[in-house]
Amino acid sequence: LLLAARGWGSLGAMSRYSTEQRGRPNSPDYRLYFKNADGKYISPFHDIPLFAGSTEDKEIPAKRSKTTGSEVLFNMIVEVPRWTNAKMEIATEEPLNPIKHDIKKGKLRYVANIFPHKGYIWNYGALPQTWEDPNHTDNSTGCCGDNDPIDVCEIGSKIRSSGEIVPVKVLGVLALVDEGETDWKIIAISADDPEAQKIHGKYFYIDDVKKHKPGYLEATVDWFQLYKVPDGKPENHFAFNGEFKNKDFAVEIIKSTHEHWKALLHKKVNGGTIKCTNSLVSGSPFCCSEEDARLIVQSAPAFMNGDSVSPEVDSWYFFPK
């Protein structure tokens, strides 16, 4: 089943992409694969450009990127819609990196409701063409990367869908230290959101977030600190005492993780179990043919309508002490 990509406004990145479901929703075999406008299967991790408005298969100078005024916008891949509980993520260890339901100890993962919140409190996802290298120690946190694309918390008013590609304006970043690994959380807002233009401070967009969305940043810190506690794990910690760093700091982190990704895709570093199969990255030894990409998708179970039984995560809350 090919789901029609929805376009929106002049920034319509989704008009360039579509998604195809395989397997059964809410089951271990569910996968969401991506296609570009030419109908070619692609990797959302590797083939969707980091900068919004850029060509897919070329080096991407910032001057060619989609902007609002002087603002460079980045593409966000939505993995988890706001207010939902299923932990959906880019499958970094599978060819073409579809979105799948995360599994821990043989069970599908769902985040608990942390009172007073319901599920994820933002549209949650990742920036393509970025990689937090587990062999690189970050100078500012003293910890290595978590081996994933960099995460994004999108704070706009719309509830997005898993698989949407959304051009976002970067506002700041939170440095989560998760089990000894650096796990950056980019704070961003969709460029088409009505409040995006209200957040316009030259350097301190994050202060405008506090003004226009009071309590949201504090709730974000609480959520990340506590979300693993219902699973019996200790509270998470943060670098910089949980302080949000500004836009310029965040953009430098994004650029750094983009450079690590380029090294990964051109075999200059060892990616371990990361699958670098891609369809469009020029000069990458991992680039595959259109036919090979099609065979990868067709090898996955066919899409089946109807949800399997999922946990009743809506019926209970974790109450912090």
Side-chain angles (χ1 to χ4, degrees):
L1 174 65
L2 184 64
L3 301 180
R6 79 183 93 166
W8 34 270
S10 61
L11 296 170
M14 274 303 292
S15 63
R16 296 170 56 191
Y17 302 101
S18 59
T19 54
E20 182 176 332
Q21 298 182 81
R22 306 287 294 190
R24 184 188 296 274
N26 293 310
S27 77
D29 64 4
Y30 179 76
R31 298 292 184 273
L32 189 67
Y33 286 93
F34 288 72
K35 282 184 174 182
N36 66 5
D38 297 325
K40 186 173 184 177
Y41 289 110
I42 61 170
S43 159
F45 186 2
H46 305 308
D47 291 317
I48 293 174
L50 171 61
F51 295 100
S54 302
T55 55
E56 296 171 341
D57 58 348
K58 300 225 167 62
E59 195 69 19
I60 309 159
K63 66 183 180 182
R64 293 175 57 196
S65 306
K66 185 78 76 175
T67 63
T68 52
S70 61
E71 191 72 36
V72 175
L73 303 181
F74 298 88
N75 281 322
M76 172 192 178
I77 303 163
V78 178
E79 295 167 308
V80 185
R82 190 169 66 237
W83 310 138
T84 64
N85 298 75
K87 193 176 188 306
M88 309 299 294
E89 63 180 17
I90 292 171
T92 59
E93 298 183 1
E94 295 183 14
L96 294 184
N97 315 112
I99 289 177
K100 69 169 186 175
H101 201 141
D102 189 26
I103 296 175
K104 196 84 167 182
K105 296 180 180 178
K107 294 183 178 180
L108 301 178
R109 291 186 67 187
Y110 295 84
V111 299
N113 297 314
I114 306 295
F115 183 83
H117 310 298
K118 166 66 177 71
Y120 286 76
I121 63 175
W122 347 256
N123 295 302
Y124 190 70
L127 294 182
Q129 298 189 339
T130 63
W131 180 53
E132 296 185 71
D133 186 349
N135 297 308
H136 171 76
T137 301
D138 187 272
N139 291 332
S140 54
T141 66
C143 298
C144 294
D146 73 344
N147 206 31
D148 283 325
I150 199 166
D151 296 321
V152 185
C153 303
E154 194 278 316
I155 65 172
S157 56
K158 295 181 182 178
I159 297 177
R160 302 290 179 171
S161 300
S162 187
E164 273 196 76
I165 312 301
V166 181
V168 297
K169 179 178 179 176
V170 167
L171 310 176
V173 64
L174 178 67
L176 176 67
V177 178
D178 188 353
E179 299 182 20
E181 297 175 334
T182 303
D183 190 3
W184 295 105
K185 305 297 180 184
I186 299 294
I187 308 301
I189 189 168
S190 171
D192 71 343
D193 192 89
E195 293 192 320
Q197 299 309 312
K198 297 179 183 178
I199 302 175
H200 53 66
K202 185 175 181 182
Y203 300 109
F204 298 103
Y205 287 8
I206 209 72
D207 291 339
D208 275 355
V209 176
K210 295 174 183 176
K211 176 182 176 182
H212 294 290
K213 292 181 176 288
Y216 210 164
L217 296 180
E218 293 82 355
T220 294
V221 172
D222 288 344
W223 196 95
F224 279 118
Q225 185 175 8
L226 296 170
Y227 82 103
K228 289 188 176 181
V229 173
D231 297 327
K233 294 188 175 182
E235 294 181 0
N236 278 324
H237 300 284
F238 307 91
F240 316 116
N241 295 315
E243 172 194 352
F244 288 83
K245 307 302 280 187
N246 67 21
K247 176 203 72 171
D248 289 347
F249 188 101
V251 169
E252 288 305 309
I253 294 298
I254 293 169
K255 288 179 179 178
S256 173
T257 58
H258 183 50
E259 291 303 312
H260 291 308
W261 169 83
K262 285 197 284 189
L264 175 71
L265 264 286
H266 291 88
K267 221 170 185 178
K268 294 180 180 178
V269 296
N270 181 4
T273 58
I274 295 288
K275 286 292 188 292
C276 299
T277 309
N278 67 85
S279 300
L280 302 169
V281 181
S282 179
S284 170
F286 303 103
C287 195
C288 72
S289 69
E290 185 172 355
E291 175 63 13
D292 286 341
R294 185 181 64 80
L295 291 173
I296 288 169
V297 177
Q298 289 186 346
S299 69
F303 175 70
M304 297 181 66
N305 266 316
D307 292 351
S308 58
V309 177
S310 60
E312 293 296 327
V313 292
D314 294 349
S315 63
W316 64 279
Y317 277 84
F318 168 72
F319 289 80
K321 293 181 181 179

mmCIF file of all heavy atoms in Angstrom, residues 48-73:
data_model
loop_
_atom_site.group_PDB
_atom_site.id
_atom_site.type_symbol
_atom_site.label_atom_id
_atom_site.label_comp_id
_atom_site.label_asym_id
_atom_site.label_seq_id
_atom_site.Cartn_x
_atom_site.Cartn_y
_atom_site.Cartn_z
ATOM 1 N N ILE A 48 17.616 11.477 2.326
ATOM 2 C CA ILE A 48 16.902 12.743 2.493
ATOM 3 C C ILE A 48 17.919 13.782 2.953
ATOM 4 O O ILE A 48 18.666 13.536 3.906
ATOM 5 C CB ILE A 48 15.742 12.601 3.489
ATOM 6 C CG1 ILE A 48 14.658 11.690 2.897
ATOM 7 C CG2 ILE A 48 15.146 13.968 3.837
ATOM 8 C CD1 ILE A 48 13.538 11.355 3.845
ATOM 9 N N PRO A 49 18.004 14.925 2.284
ATOM 10 C CA PRO A 49 19.040 15.902 2.637
ATOM 11 C C PRO A 49 18.814 16.527 4.007
ATOM 12 O O PRO A 49 17.679 16.691 4.460
ATOM 13 C CB PRO A 49 18.945 16.951 1.530
ATOM 14 C CG PRO A 49 17.570 16.803 0.974
ATOM 15 C CD PRO A 49 17.201 15.359 1.117
ATOM 16 N N LEU A 50 19.909 16.878 4.651
ATOM 17 C CA LEU A 50 19.826 17.545 5.951
ATOM 18 C C LEU A 50 19.174 18.913 5.812
ATOM 19 O O LEU A 50 18.303 19.282 6.604
ATOM 20 C CB LEU A 50 21.231 17.684 6.542
ATOM 21 C CG LEU A 50 21.376 18.552 7.800
ATOM 22 C CD1 LEU A 50 20.544 18.002 8.950
ATOM 23 C CD2 LEU A 50 22.847 18.652 8.191
ATOM 24 N N PHE A 51 19.582 19.651 4.792
ATOM 25 C CA PHE A 51 19.063 21.002 4.595
ATOM 26 C C PHE A 51 17.801 20.967 3.746
ATOM 27 O O PHE A 51 17.771 20.333 2.689
ATOM 28 C CB PHE A 51 20.109 21.888 3.929
ATOM 29 C CG PHE A 51 21.330 22.114 4.770
ATOM 30 C CD1 PHE A 51 22.484 21.383 4.544
ATOM 31 C CD2 PHE A 51 21.322 23.039 5.799
ATOM 32 C CE1 PHE A 51 23.610 21.579 5.313
ATOM 33 C CE2 PHE A 51 22.440 23.246 6.584
ATOM 34 C CZ PHE A 51 23.593 22.514 6.345
ATOM 35 N N ALA A 52 16.760 21.653 4.188
ATOM 36 C CA ALA A 52 15.498 21.676 3.449
ATOM 37 C C ALA A 52 15.685 22.410 2.123
ATOM 38 O O ALA A 52 16.386 23.416 2.051
ATOM 39 C CB ALA A 52 14.420 22.363 4.282
ATOM 40 N N GLY A 53 15.065 21.868 1.072
ATOM 41 C CA GLY A 53 15.112 22.506 -0.236
ATOM 42 C C GLY A 53 16.312 22.139 -1.062
ATOM 43 O O GLY A 53 16.503 22.673 -2.148
ATOM 44 N N SER A 54 17.161 21.205 -0.580
ATOM 45 C CA SER A 54 18.374 20.842 -1.303
ATOM 46 C C SER A 54 18.125 19.659 -2.222
ATOM 47 O O SER A 54 17.195 18.885 -2.028
ATOM 48 C CB SER A 54 19.491 20.477 -0.316
ATOM 49 O OG SER A 54 19.755 21.555 0.548
ATOM 50 N N THR A 55 18.990 19.487 -3.201
ATOM 51 C CA THR A 55 18.920 18.292 -4.033
ATOM 52 C C THR A 55 19.368 17.099 -3.217
ATOM 53 O O THR A 55 20.142 17.227 -2.280
ATOM 54 C CB THR A 55 19.825 18.442 -5.263
ATOM 55 O OG1 THR A 55 21.139 18.748 -4.826
ATOM 56 C CG2 THR A 55 19.323 19.548 -6.182
ATOM 57 N N GLU A 56 18.885 15.920 -3.578
ATOM 58 C CA GLU A 56 19.101 14.743 -2.746
ATOM 59 C C GLU A 56 20.491 14.145 -2.889
ATOM 60 O O GLU A 56 21.008 13.539 -1.969
ATOM 61 C CB GLU A 56 18.070 13.666 -3.114
ATOM 62 C CG GLU A 56 16.647 14.107 -2.804
ATOM 63 C CD GLU A 56 15.636 13.143 -3.376
ATOM 64 O OE1 GLU A 56 15.993 12.378 -4.281
ATOM 65 O OE2 GLU A 56 14.492 13.156 -2.931
ATOM 66 N N ASP A 57 21.106 14.297 -4.056
ATOM 67 C CA ASP A 57 22.294 13.498 -4.333
ATOM 68 C C ASP A 57 23.573 14.301 -4.501
ATOM 69 O O ASP A 57 24.557 13.820 -4.998
ATOM 70 C CB ASP A 57 22.066 12.652 -5.595
ATOM 71 C CG ASP A 57 21.738 13.510 -6.810
ATOM 72 O OD1 ASP A 57 21.470 14.706 -6.631
ATOM 73 O OD2 ASP A 57 21.758 12.963 -7.926
ATOM 74 N N LYS A 58 23.552 15.572 -4.092
ATOM 75 C CA LYS A 58 24.728 16.396 -4.260
ATOM 76 C C LYS A 58 25.181 16.956 -2.920
ATOM 77 O O LYS A 58 24.454 16.973 -1.931
ATOM 78 C CB LYS A 58 24.402 17.550 -5.212
ATOM 79 C CG LYS A 58 23.953 17.068 -6.591
ATOM 80 C CD LYS A 58 24.644 17.864 -7.647
ATOM 81 C CE LYS A 58 24.497 17.251 -9.016
ATOM 82 N NZ LYS A 58 23.212 17.142 -9.533
ATOM 83 N N GLU A 59 26.418 17.466 -2.903
ATOM 84 C CA GLU A 59 26.909 18.183 -1.724
ATOM 85 C C GLU A 59 25.988 19.373 -1.502
ATOM 86 O O GLU A 59 25.526 20.008 -2.446
ATOM 87 C CB GLU A 59 28.343 18.644 -1.968
ATOM 88 C CG GLU A 59 29.068 19.077 -0.715
ATOM 89 C CD GLU A 59 29.371 17.914 0.210
ATOM 90 O OE1 GLU A 59 29.350 16.762 -0.262
ATOM 91 O OE2 GLU A 59 29.619 18.152 1.395
ATOM 92 N N ILE A 60 25.745 19.742 -0.257
ATOM 93 C CA ILE A 60 24.676 20.682 0.031
ATOM 94 C C ILE A 60 25.220 21.956 0.672
ATOM 95 O O ILE A 60 25.356 22.045 1.879
ATOM 96 C CB ILE A 60 23.639 20.051 0.981
ATOM 97 C CG1 ILE A 60 23.204 18.695 0.435
ATOM 98 C CG2 ILE A 60 22.426 20.935 1.154
ATOM 99 C CD1 ILE A 60 22.612 17.796 1.472
ATOM 100 N N PRO A 61 25.556 22.983 -0.103
ATOM 101 C CA PRO A 61 25.971 24.243 0.509
ATOM 102 C C PRO A 61 24.784 24.958 1.115
ATOM 103 O O PRO A 61 23.676 24.916 0.580
ATOM 104 C CB PRO A 61 26.545 25.037 -0.673
ATOM 105 C CG PRO A 61 25.880 24.476 -1.881
ATOM 106 C CD PRO A 61 25.591 23.031 -1.576
ATOM 107 N N ALA A 62 24.982 25.634 2.246
ATOM 108 C CA ALA A 62 23.870 26.270 2.948
ATOM 109 C C ALA A 62 23.171 27.311 2.083
ATOM 110 O O ALA A 62 21.976 27.526 2.206
ATOM 111 C CB ALA A 62 24.382 26.916 4.240
ATOM 112 N N LYS A 63 23.895 27.951 1.157
ATOM 113 C CA LYS A 63 23.281 29.005 0.353
ATOM 114 C C LYS A 63 22.186 28.462 -0.567
ATOM 115 O O LYS A 63 21.349 29.221 -1.047
ATOM 116 C CB LYS A 63 24.335 29.734 -0.477
ATOM 117 C CG LYS A 63 24.996 28.878 -1.552
ATOM 118 C CD LYS A 63 26.071 29.673 -2.275
ATOM 119 C CE LYS A 63 26.735 28.828 -3.363
ATOM 120 N NZ LYS A 63 27.803 29.572 -4.043
ATOM 121 N N ARG A 64 22.165 27.147 -0.802
ATOM 122 C CA ARG A 64 21.122 26.553 -1.639
ATOM 123 C C ARG A 64 19.980 25.986 -0.817
ATOM 124 O O ARG A 64 19.070 25.390 -1.338
ATOM 125 C CB ARG A 64 21.713 25.442 -2.498
ATOM 126 C CG ARG A 64 22.684 25.937 -3.531
ATOM 127 C CD ARG A 64 23.320 24.794 -4.271
ATOM 128 N NE ARG A 64 22.320 23.944 -4.909
ATOM 129 C CZ ARG A 64 22.578 22.730 -5.360
ATOM 130 N NH1 ARG A 64 23.781 22.215 -5.233
ATOM 131 N NH2 ARG A 64 21.643 22.018 -5.929
ATOM 132 N N SER A 65 20.031 26.170 0.484
ATOM 133 C CA SER A 65 19.029 25.592 1.367
ATOM 134 C C SER A 65 17.806 26.486 1.465
ATOM 135 O O SER A 65 17.866 27.694 1.279
ATOM 136 C CB SER A 65 19.623 25.387 2.761
ATOM 137 O OG SER A 65 20.797 24.645 2.691
ATOM 138 N N LYS A 66 16.679 25.858 1.754
ATOM 139 C CA LYS A 66 15.444 26.603 1.955
ATOM 140 C C LYS A 66 15.590 27.500 3.173
ATOM 141 O O LYS A 66 16.107 27.092 4.204
ATOM 142 C CB LYS A 66 14.286 25.637 2.168
ATOM 143 C CG LYS A 66 12.927 26.313 2.265
ATOM 144 C CD LYS A 66 12.394 26.713 0.912
ATOM 145 C CE LYS A 66 11.867 25.531 0.155
ATOM 146 N NZ LYS A 66 11.242 25.880 -1.117
ATOM 147 N N THR A 67 15.168 28.739 3.070
ATOM 148 C CA THR A 67 15.293 29.661 4.191
ATOM 149 C C THR A 67 13.985 30.392 4.427
ATOM 150 O O THR A 67 13.116 30.461 3.567
ATOM 151 C CB THR A 67 16.389 30.722 3.947
ATOM 152 O OG1 THR A 67 16.008 31.517 2.822
ATOM 153 C CG2 THR A 67 17.731 30.076 3.680
ATOM 154 N N THR A 68 13.835 30.948 5.629
ATOM 155 C CA THR A 68 12.792 31.931 5.895
ATOM 156 C C THR A 68 13.547 33.197 6.273
ATOM 157 O O THR A 68 14.122 33.288 7.334
ATOM 158 C CB THR A 68 11.880 31.492 7.056
ATOM 159 O OG1 THR A 68 12.708 31.159 8.177
ATOM 160 C CG2 THR A 68 11.042 30.306 6.685
ATOM 161 N N GLY A 69 13.600 34.168 5.344
ATOM 162 C CA GLY A 69 14.466 35.310 5.548
ATOM 163 C C GLY A 69 15.901 34.827 5.460
ATOM 164 O O GLY A 69 16.329 34.293 4.449
ATOM 165 N N SER A 70 16.662 35.012 6.531
ATOM 166 C CA SER A 70 18.054 34.563 6.552
ATOM 167 C C SER A 70 18.195 33.218 7.250
ATOM 168 O O SER A 70 19.300 32.756 7.486
ATOM 169 C CB SER A 70 18.914 35.611 7.279
ATOM 170 O OG SER A 70 18.467 35.752 8.614
ATOM 171 N N GLU A 71 17.076 32.586 7.575
ATOM 172 C CA GLU A 71 17.095 31.370 8.383
ATOM 173 C C GLU A 71 17.289 30.114 7.536
ATOM 174 O O GLU A 71 16.552 29.883 6.581
ATOM 175 C CB GLU A 71 15.768 31.250 9.146
ATOM 176 C CG GLU A 71 15.768 30.185 10.211
ATOM 177 C CD GLU A 71 16.611 30.600 11.406
ATOM 178 O OE1 GLU A 71 16.604 31.788 11.735
ATOM 179 O OE2 GLU A 71 17.271 29.729 11.980
ATOM 180 N N VAL A 72 18.293 29.318 7.865
ATOM 181 C CA VAL A 72 18.466 28.025 7.212
ATOM 182 C C VAL A 72 17.551 27.018 7.888
ATOM 183 O O VAL A 72 17.500 26.923 9.111
ATOM 184 C CB VAL A 72 19.931 27.555 7.309
ATOM 185 C CG1 VAL A 72 20.078 26.149 6.736
ATOM 186 C CG2 VAL A 72 20.854 28.521 6.573
ATOM 187 N N LEU A 73 16.819 26.268 7.084
ATOM 188 C CA LEU A 73 15.906 25.266 7.612
ATOM 189 C C LEU A 73 16.474 23.875 7.407
ATOM 190 O O LEU A 73 17.206 23.614 6.459
ATOM 191 C CB LEU A 73 14.541 25.368 6.911
ATOM 192 C CG LEU A 73 13.832 26.716 6.982
ATOM 193 C CD1 LEU A 73 12.493 26.634 6.253
ATOM 194 C CD2 LEU A 73 13.633 27.172 8.425
#
